[in-house]
Amino acid sequence: MAERSFKKEVQQLRIGAGEEFRGEGILAVTKGLLQSGVGYVGGYQGSPISHLMDVLADAQDILEELGVHFETSASEATAAATLAASVNYPIRGAVTWKSTVGTNVASDALANLASGGVTGGALVIVGEDYGEGSSIMQERTHAFAMKSQLWLLDPRPNLDSMVNFVEHGFQLSEASNTPVILQLRIRGCHVHGRFIAKDNQRPKFTLAEALANPKRDLSRIVLPPAAYVHEHEKIKQRWPAAVKFIKDNKLNEHFDGDVEDLGIILQGGLYNGVIRALQLLGLADNFGNSRIPLYVMNVTYPMIDDEVTEFCKDKKAVLLFEEGQPNYIEQGMNMILRHAGIDTILSGKDVLQLAGEYTTAVMRDGLQKFLAAQRPELLPVIDVEPTQAPAAAANGNAAMEVAEVTRPKPVIKEQPISFQRMSKDMAEIVPLRPAGFCTGCPERPIFAALSLTQEKLGEHHIACDIGCHLFSILPPFNLGSTTMGYGLGTASTAAFNVKSSKRSISMMGDGGFWHNGLSSGIGNAVFNKYDGVIILIDNYYSAATGGQDILSSRAENPNRATNNPIIEAVKGVGVKWVKVIERTYDVARVRDTLEEALTTEVTGPKVLILQSECMLNKQRRIKPQFNKAVKEGKRMVKERFGVDSDVCTGDHACIRLSGCPSLTIKDSGDPLKEDPVAYIDNSCVGCGNCGEVSHAAVLCPSFYRADIVHNPTQWDLFKAKVRQRVIGFLQARRNQRLAQYSL
């Protein structure tokens, strides 16, 4: 069960030539694949590219009609290796994953693929998750393209351009016998727009035909002496072929402007932001027409020397927008210009920030510094009286009357786009709210139990993994010391396999386990007689990437083999001490089992498998069923939890050990009880974790469960009336006694 369904949207993939396609970037890219005659598609989900896998899964019937094979790969390495089908056969194949972490995993297969080369078009669609909102280390795909001589496309983020570059990517790959990377930034993945569609194409050469007519070319296999030949082939044949295709098909774009002595060179993916920065300085209109000429690098590797020199040769200075470090493009361009004897000033990281995401504000400020040094008269006059507007026009801004800064307006000192001051002010009144688990998440009680265990046995070294459970490093749990990569939680404790008074603890989710944790973590631990504790969190899905099914999912999937228990795989590689807890919300049991694992005299890896369904996916699954049953008039019961404010002492152990978003505090209403009491708001999903952790930490009778009955029966109504009368009688008697003994 994925994060969302595209069943309705994927029907647009059927439209033919001349029809207008409207939708999201990811859906448009899928249409581009089908229009290009792709033969097979694989990949591993991960933001911002997760939805591409979800779209393909929902379009399974359309893919089958066209004869396109699709599968969810076990890892990014599996996906990259899948492209081997295009080495000897003229079949177009595409794979996708989140970069750069996915590219790290796939790098071995990619390097081999790039060495031997391909016959059919091989396209790698990566979601470039770079910037402040990223969940990974700040690295760029560009380094991998340079290292392995893979061509890197970074198209302008509009649907028409992205769809065209899917087809261009396949053509470029075939023309140069080289795999091509199509880089889609997060804004490109989710941008909405329209384009004129083409007819979908069946693969010209199918996988079945390849199997029926096998081919073998020893020169394509990466072994000496062929491997040494491949390096020369890349430079002498493939690179020139790629450059010729890029130039002949004008994949990079040149936009003229009237300020002819200056220029801007930019990565295609930054185009929208650059245009907005120009607009803010009165140098571009609302239709994207720039006064400064632009050279848009939709292909960022390889660079085309002739195009760079042609663009720069008659210009005083050029500003390069290259996001991230190292500044590979800037270094390469400086070399190109110096070798060509061109003395044009190339600005880049000297006026722009050295690292980090290039937001509109960052690009505007860099452009402003560049213009201040080269052509200050082009900068807008901000403090202008309405009567002085003609004077501003005389300074060269008259041609851009549609730009905001050139319209007559009251005197207002320009305020830079800055959130630091605002965030500082807000921090004084708004408490910090770190990223955390969803309401009712079954992983929260695991870390509550682990906190209680450490309270008794002392602090232990804890290694984290990639996934939802990584939120345990933040308040209120503050657990975990390291995270080394997806499925590498257990591997990262390998060096701690020594005699000590305490055992190390590592954790891994079910997604990471099947990704590579079974071999690199569990298998390695068994082989090296690791004596630590391994926590495997089984929430039935690859939850952190959107809730896709995996091998151990409980769902019945018509296209995938699910219901393969993790415990069978763990025992299969030789683990002897393994225990399963089928309900993670039983905090006391989880705590006791953890204590047993940490103190037992049994040696070797101790694996604890903790199972409960991801609450987010559970709600997606049961809410429609529940609402449908209620509409049909069936009796349905929804569990909710609450806190009796008269009983609550204000200890707040439930909050300290839970951190659930639905659990907060409120005034007790009792002048003699100064501490606020716990309170459960309407976002509660009835998991019961708050009460469980309270009882595990210190006995707390203030929690109660309330059953909300929809379409109650006569018996339900009768019981409710009896209860109301009994409660009313007891409350009235209590009030009488309070009045009798009051002073």
Side-chain angles (χ1 to χ4, degrees), residues 454-492:
Q454 290 200 117
E455 199 172 282
K456 179 178 179 180
L457 301 179
E459 296 289 324
H460 287 66
H461 175 81
I462 301 174
C464 299
D465 204 323
I466 301 299
C468 298
H469 40 279
L470 197 56
F471 290 129
S472 64
I473 67 171
L474 301 172
F477 303 111
N478 302 304
L479 299 170
S481 302
T482 56
T483 174
M484 288 292 107
Y486 197 28
L488 296 175
T490 300
S492 62

Side-chain angles (χ1 to χ4, degrees), residues 57 182 222 346 542 574 691 741:
L182 174 64
V222 188
L346 180 64
S542 183
Y741 295 108

Side-chain angles (χ1 to χ4, degrees), residues 357-394:
E357 185 178 9
Y358 278 7
T359 62
T360 299
V362 169
M363 290 191 280
R364 180 206 59 183
D365 294 344
L367 181 59
Q368 204 163 7
K369 290 178 184 177
F370 172 73
L371 293 174
Q374 305 300 333
R375 288 283 300 274
E377 69 275 12
L378 291 176
L379 290 170
V381 179
I382 303 300
D383 296 331
V384 180
E385 296 282 357
T387 56
Q388 293 177 316

Side-chain angles (χ1 to χ4, degrees), residues 166-441:
V166 171
E167 187 167 1
H168 289 322
F170 283 122
Q171 294 169 344
L172 174 59
S173 176
E174 290 164 346
S176 60
N177 301 116
T178 304
V180 171
I181 300 175
L182 174 64
Q183 175 179 290
L184 297 179
R185 298 156 189 263
I186 190 166
R187 290 178 179 85
C189 289
H190 300 301
V191 69
H192 282 253
R194 63 184 71 181
F195 69 93
I196 302 303
K198 299 178 182 177
D199 288 331
N200 293 334
Q201 302 291 327
R202 295 183 65 85
K204 293 180 180 179
F205 192 82
T206 67
L207 294 165
E209 289 177 294
L211 288 173
N213 302 279
K215 291 184 178 180
R216 180 175 180 269
D217 184 353
L218 189 60
S219 67
R220 296 300 98 206
I221 301 175
V222 188
L223 284 173
Y228 304 114
V229 177
H230 294 163
E231 184 179 17
H232 292 279
E233 186 181 290
K234 287 179 181 179
I235 305 303
K236 295 179 180 179
Q237 298 176 30
R238 299 187 208 166
W239 189 314
V243 170
K244 183 178 186 304
F245 181 89
I246 293 165
K247 291 170 64 175
D248 290 349
N249 291 275
K250 296 180 172 57
L251 299 191
N252 295 321
E253 298 172 286
H254 179 204
F255 298 99
D256 290 323
D258 63 277
V259 183
E260 296 180 351
D261 62 334
L262 298 181
I264 294 175
I265 300 175
L266 62 141
Q267 295 165 291
L270 296 179
Y271 176 81
N272 292 357
V274 170
I275 290 297
R276 181 57 181 154
L278 287 164
Q279 288 175 343
L280 290 172
L281 295 177
L283 295 170
D285 62 23
N286 291 341
F287 300 99
N289 299 308
S290 170
R291 293 192 60 198
I292 301 177
L294 305 177
Y295 174 56
V296 182
M297 297 178 66
N298 293 313
V299 183
T300 53
Y301 189 80
M303 285 187 286
I304 311 302
D305 296 21
D306 296 349
E307 293 182 352
V308 173
T309 55
E310 181 66 26
F311 182 77
C312 295
K313 66 180 182 181
D314 297 325
K315 293 180 170 54
K316 171 187 175 184
V318 170
L319 174 61
L320 170 64
F321 286 99
E322 178 185 8
E323 188 175 53
Q325 274 284 6
N327 55 343
Y328 300 116
I329 299 175
E330 187 174 348
Q331 293 176 34
M333 283 195 174
N334 268 308
M335 185 186 71
I336 292 170
L337 295 177
R338 298 298 82 82
H339 284 182
I342 297 174
D343 59 1
T344 300
I345 297 170
L346 180 64
S347 285
K349 300 295 184 183
D350 56 328
V351 295
L352 289 155
Q353 66 182 29
L354 295 178
E357 185 178 9
Y358 278 7
T359 62
T360 299
V362 169
M363 290 191 280
R364 180 206 59 183
D365 294 344
L367 181 59
Q368 204 163 7
K369 290 178 184 177
F370 172 73
L371 293 174
Q374 305 300 333
R375 288 283 300 274
E377 69 275 12
L378 291 176
L379 290 170
V381 179
I382 303 300
D383 296 331
V384 180
E385 296 282 357
T387 56
Q388 293 177 316
N395 285 334
N397 292 329
M400 308 304 296
E401 292 181 358
V402 296
E404 294 180 33
V405 293
T406 59
R407 296 174 186 151
K409 57 181 68 176
V411 179
I412 299 176
K413 183 76 173 175
E414 183 191 18
Q415 297 295 323
I417 301 176
S418 175
F419 299 100
Q420 281 72 22
R421 178 183 57 79
M422 185 184 301
S423 61
K424 182 180 178 182
D425 294 341
M426 292 185 66
E428 296 177 0
I429 56 175
V430 179
L432 290 174
R433 185 181 290 271
F437 300 102
C438 301
T439 301
C441 176

